[in-house]
Amino acid sequence: MKIRKELWFGFTLMAIIASGTATMLLMAPTITNGHLGLMMLSLVVVAIMLGFPTAFTLMGMGMIFTWIAYEENTSKTLTLMVQSAFKVMGNDVLISIPLFVFMGYLVERANLIEKLFKSLHLAMARVPGSLAVATIFTCAVFATATGIVGAVVTLMGLLAFPQMLKGGYDVRVSAGAITAGGCLGILIPPSVMLIVYGATAGVSVVQLYAGAFFPGLMLAGLYVLYVVLLAKLKPNLMPPLSMTERFVPLPAATERVSTQISNTALPALLRALTGGLKGPSNQGVSTGYLLGQLCITLLPLMMFAASAGLGWHLNTKAPEPVATMAPMGSEMAEPAGADAPEPAEGGLAEPPREEGGLQEPAAAGDGVKEPPGADAGVQEPPGASDAASSAAAVAEPAAGGVQEPAAAAQADSAGAVPAERTPPTRGYYIGLGVGALAMVAFYAMLSFQRLEIFKMLLASFFPLVVLIMFVLGSIVFGLATPTEAAAVGAFGGVLLAIAYRQFNFTMLKESVFLTAKTSAMVCWLFVGSAIFSAAFALLGGQELVERWVMSMNLSKTEFLVLSQVIIFILGWPLEWTEIIVIFMPIFIPLLDNFGVDPLFFGLLVALNLQTAFLSPPVAMAAFYLKGVSPPHVTLNQIFAGMLPFMGIQVIAIVLLYNFPGIGLWLPEVLYK
């Protein structure tokens, strides 16, 4: 019996782990509980690679090793299990996971993906490698809406893969574009992985979403750039589309307008409305139809006008009114309602207080004395009049000194600066001019064929974008918590399914069932992770790892490189869920020692964990695609197509490390 290469790799890796653990135990002078914790960690990795369920492996290993270390105290093991499970189930952040997953399954079953891919394919027909570029864009949008890697890769494997192979695309390039694009869902918000990391590391999910937005776009942009450059350099790998494939049929009424007047949409529609069509009754083209087409044509102009107006409003917004201090020597008004005596001339007096409030006790002698009536218990100090006549009292400054600011009721006498709008900046005018030129160029090139493509985008691309922007915008701008935004997204998914006439009881039942299945898997993973992490810390494994890392005298950069290399290697045999729930609790306590922001570390990890789906032998995206690909496509071809995109992920990690503002700028602007 011949064993496959990936099995040889897995068995070799397990042998290395087992032998390394045995060597460590044999070399240790005494085997402590910390060594038991490291052995538990090694056995968990081996058991998962052998195919045991991750969640129950974590729970079982944690309880068994805790019982071995504290067998005389069985209650400690049971307490560990109960408290860890209760802590996870009491985490309200996890409520957003089933809601986001439910939104994803609803959008998936609304059949938007086919229309989205076709419209983006036609819109990018002139771009080199247009099919692959459209595939990555479709994967990015759909992965953002669903966050489910398996669903995106499978659907794109059914829709895009056959078309790319039919168009003469190389099998490896096609497989790489689909698998890499489908994995963007674990990085671009709303991402379940970011929720899991936030709950594990104690980092705000809202800030993680804001921080992961631009790194996700950067990674998708690097994918597209690679595909375009490869198509330019080696066009035989991705042949351009023929004119037949770019052809978009026009409706009969639009065809009449295009034939008799012009193929440029905006002037042709305007002339048709003013009687430009010749023949009886405008050749059967109704005025209502022409007005509808004109409204659709003018939508980009309306959006530009609205954006320009909003930009002007924000750019010329008046600064907050600032109350000025009165000139020296002028008299400032006291706050309304303050019944204050005149200050003692030439001295410092206590600021006036309402009668019965807290006062400075009168000094009756040279020493420090109790306030009057101290023998009767704690009482109110003497009134303001006694304090004003006291030699130790503090008086308000005289008229020529610094005065208190005026009350709001008398702001005009205090010299408040009136709020006026500022003139627009030069940058606003430059942006307005560039946008206006873009609008002129857009309408000059807008033919009726492109108008039909724009209508296809309106029916598929923009509804998803609006849903995503509502969900992400409400989270990022602090209008809703992730759980509330997830509920809005789930409701939006229902509305989309209804709007596209795909909503029925069968679809709802399937979506609910799959949501419950996925959510149960994630929640059991959290329970297992909590028990395992608590057992690992209780046994002293965390302390042993921390002592070992600190003994290496690493700098911040060296620690980050070491941790990311470990995560990169772990991505080969393990999925991102195991890496997050098992190894993040080991790395997170070390961050303070090296001055690493957990938010920044989480963004590096999120980029790095893309490799968990793209690195053999446990590259789940490859197996998803293989399950729906033609028989002649081999797993090795899919793996080979993934490798360049893995290199791009490494480049993205290096860019984020050297330019941390890519991930930290938006959270700092919004929340700090």
Side-chain angles (χ1 to χ4, degrees), residues 107-382:
V107 171
E108 175 195 344
R109 278 156 175 68
N111 288 334
L112 282 176
I113 186 70
E114 185 174 358
K115 298 176 182 178
L116 177 62
F117 174 68
K118 185 178 180 181
S119 57
L120 285 174
H121 174 205
L122 292 172
M124 300 176 180
R126 298 181 182 274
V127 178
S130 57
L131 264 174
V133 173
T135 298
I136 293 174
F137 268 106
T138 305
C139 286
V141 174
F142 199 61
T144 304
T146 63
I148 306 167
V149 172
V152 178
V153 173
T154 302
L155 283 176
M156 292 307 296
L158 290 171
L159 293 175
F161 206 28
Q163 292 195 36
M164 296 171 82
L165 297 179
K166 183 181 177 182
Y169 275 52
D170 183 73
V171 174
R172 293 167 297 179
V173 174
S174 305
I178 293 173
T179 52
C183 293
L184 289 171
I186 66 173
L187 173 61
I188 301 178
S191 164
V192 174
M193 187 203 71
L194 294 177
I195 300 175
V196 174
Y197 175 83
T200 303
V203 180
S204 167
V205 177
V206 177
Q207 294 192 26
L208 278 171
Y209 275 6
F213 187 71
F214 285 118
L217 293 182
M218 175 187 69
L219 186 59
L222 289 175
Y223 288 164
V224 171
L225 181 63
Y226 165 73
V227 168
V228 171
L229 290 177
L230 187 63
K232 274 285 188 183
L233 297 174
K234 297 182 179 180
N236 60 309
L237 296 179
M238 289 174 277
L241 296 179
S242 63
M243 294 304 298
T244 306
E245 293 172 314
R246 299 182 191 180
F247 176 73
V248 180
L250 298 178
T254 305
E255 184 72 36
R256 295 190 188 102
V257 177
S258 173
T259 303
Q260 292 201 17
I261 301 178
S262 170
N263 195 37
T264 307
L266 183 58
L269 290 172
L270 292 175
R271 284 185 59 191
L273 284 169
T274 56
L277 288 176
K278 299 177 182 179
S281 302
N282 284 338
Q283 295 289 328
V285 182
S286 66
T287 304
Y289 177 81
L290 293 174
L291 285 173
Q293 297 300 305
L294 182 63
C295 288
I296 295 174
T297 305
L298 292 176
L299 273 178
L301 183 60
M302 296 177 189
M303 293 175 63
F304 171 71
S307 301
L310 180 62
W312 179 86
H313 175 75
L314 296 175
N315 193 260
T316 62
K317 187 177 180 181
E320 294 294 331
V322 179
T324 58
M325 301 297 292
M328 298 300 290
S330 63
E331 194 171 16
M332 302 279 296
E334 290 293 329
D339 187 14
E342 288 291 324
E345 193 170 348
L348 295 174
E350 181 73 8
R353 290 176 171 82
E354 293 182 11
E355 191 167 350
L358 183 62
Q359 307 291 338
E360 183 77 29
D366 295 330
V368 179
K369 306 237 175 158
E370 289 288 341
D375 53 344
V378 179
Q379 298 185 9
E380 287 289 337

Side-chain angles (χ1 to χ4, degrees), residues 485-610:
V488 173
F491 181 68
V494 173
L495 294 181
L496 277 180
I498 294 173
Y500 286 91
R501 300 180 181 179
Q502 300 292 329
F503 188 81
N504 52 53
F505 179 75
T506 302
M507 173 209 177
L508 180 63
K509 182 176 70 173
E510 290 177 355
S511 300
V512 171
F513 174 76
L514 291 172
T515 299
K517 183 178 178 181
T518 305
S519 303
M521 181 268 293
V522 173
C523 289
W524 275 118
L525 269 176
F526 260 105
V527 172
S529 167
I531 293 175
F532 178 83
S533 302
F536 190 72
L538 184 64
L539 292 171
Q542 176 64 49
E543 183 182 355
L544 206 62
V545 171
E546 186 170 352
R547 200 160 54 231
W548 172 69
V549 172
M550 296 304 294
S551 67
M552 298 170 68
N553 293 323
L554 300 175
S555 64
K556 176 182 176 181
T557 303
E558 291 169 342
F559 167 74
L560 286 174
V561 171
L562 175 65
S563 60
Q564 297 306 313
V565 168
I566 292 174
I567 293 171
F568 184 84
I569 295 174
L570 289 171
W572 295 355
L574 303 178
E575 294 188 49
W576 67 265
T577 47
E578 287 103 0
I579 296 173
I580 290 285
V581 299
I582 298 174
F583 292 95
M584 285 307 104
I586 298 175
F587 284 118
I588 297 302
L590 297 172
L591 299 183
D592 286 340
N593 298 322
F594 296 95
V596 179
D597 184 2
L599 173 62
F600 181 64
F601 187 76
L603 299 180
L604 289 174
V605 170
L607 272 175
N608 202 342
L609 283 179
Q610 300 282 316

Side-chain angles (χ1 to χ4, degrees), residues 416-454:
V417 178
E420 294 183 359
R421 286 194 171 275
T422 60
T425 61
R426 180 182 298 179
Y428 172 77
Y429 284 118
I430 293 174
L432 186 66
V434 171
L437 289 176
M439 283 290 102
V440 171
F442 173 77
Y443 282 108
M445 296 187 298
L446 184 64
S447 62
F448 280 109
Q449 286 77 15
R450 291 194 176 98
L451 181 61
E452 290 301 313
I453 297 173
F454 178 67

